[in-house]
Amino acid sequence: MASGVHIARKIDKMGMRSSDTAKVFFDDVRVPCKNLIGQEGMGFTYQMLQFQEERLWACGNILTMMDNIIQETIQYTRQSRIFKMPVLYHQSVHFRLAELETEIELLRSLLHRSTALYIKGNDVTKLASMAKLKAGRLSREVGDSCLQYWGGMGFTSDVLVSRFYRDARLLSIGGGADEVMLSIICKYMDTLPKK
């Protein structure tokens, strides 16, 4: 390890447990010119420039997971029974799954539109922020609703829906919290208070 780099203890996270997280401290660390990436002092700017790609990726990644959770929940509720019929056959259950599937498809359309515009070189900051905001909130709705339909099994670590419920929460925090996404959207809408 380079002189001046100190890694604190591993942080025990509630979710995304397969990746290690720790505080890293840099005290008077010197980076040789040959190891410099880009221009000196531009690291934060480079990070800001990549945020739109990160937000679009996060949206696409969670869409696949939400699709999987809905499908697994349909399969499970078709087999699990309550009041002498499959859980899925209760109108409140299959209607809610239809609502969630509709929201997922709307989000997918926003992602496709944003990505197409980004590929053409357009500024998609507003659309990428909208997609990430909606993805984070919708993933919580999907996780919460589907977990409920699994009953007691949903509260175990043995099923994907419980891990999704736990891990998806990060989407509304990492890469810019929901409140940051709302501020960006408001900026592009010109609705922020004037200073």
Side-chain angles (χ1 to χ4, degrees):
M1 181 147 339
S3 176
V5 177
H6 172 72
I7 299 175
R9 69 171 178 79
K10 179 182 166 190
I11 297 171
D12 185 24
K13 301 178 299 191
M14 118 181 192
M16 296 294 186
R17 299 181 66 78
S18 64
S19 67
D20 289 344
T21 301
K23 287 184 179 180
V24 181
F25 298 93
F26 301 93
D27 297 312
D28 296 321
V29 175
R30 299 191 51 81
V31 177
C33 289
K34 67 178 183 174
N35 295 344
L36 192 63
I37 300 172
Q39 294 179 322
E40 185 175 352
M42 292 292 293
F44 182 74
T45 301
Y46 295 146
Q47 177 65 31
M48 297 302 288
L49 291 172
Q50 70 81 39
F51 267 140
Q52 304 332 306
E53 288 180 12
E54 178 182 338
R55 291 169 181 156
L56 292 173
W57 175 86
C59 181
N61 185 56
I62 203 73
L63 278 169
T64 302
M65 289 299 301
M66 288 190 290
D67 287 336
N68 292 341
I69 294 301
I70 295 283
Q71 290 308 309
E72 283 199 12
T73 300
I74 290 170
Q75 290 172 11
Y76 181 79
T77 56
R78 189 172 275 135
Q79 297 167 7
S80 182
R81 300 177 71 81
I82 189 169
F83 303 121
K84 300 182 182 179
M85 68 173 157
V87 171
L88 183 63
Y89 292 3
H90 292 271
Q91 188 180 60
S92 61
V93 175
H94 58 256
F95 274 15
R96 180 63 177 146
L97 291 172
E99 288 174 338
L100 293 171
E101 185 77 13
T102 300
E103 292 291 320
I104 290 168
E105 287 307 316
L106 289 168
L107 179 58
R108 192 181 324 276
S109 293
L110 176 57
L111 174 64
H112 288 181
R113 178 175 173 232
S114 304
T115 303
L117 288 169
Y118 180 77
I119 290 170
K120 291 179 182 176
N122 293 292
D123 177 11
V124 295
T125 303
K126 178 182 172 186
L127 294 176
S129 299
M130 289 175 164
K132 184 184 175 302
L133 174 69
K134 182 64 176 176
R137 292 180 171 186
L138 182 57
S139 66
R140 293 201 306 273
E141 282 188 59
V142 168
D144 188 60
S145 291
C146 290
L147 185 89
Q148 187 70 26
Y149 302 143
W150 282 74
M153 279 304 295
F155 204 65
T156 69
S157 296
D158 294 342
V159 294
L160 182 62
V161 70
S162 68
R163 293 188 301 275
F164 177 81
Y165 178 85
R166 176 193 72 204
D167 291 347
R169 186 62 180 92
L170 179 62
L171 187 55
S172 286
I173 301 168
D178 284 0
E179 295 77 13
V180 173
M181 297 304 99
L182 288 166
S183 292
I184 292 168
I185 296 163
C186 288
K187 177 183 172 189
Y188 277 81
M189 292 174 65
D190 193 28
T191 60
L192 289 175
K194 304 295 183 208
K195 293 182 180 178

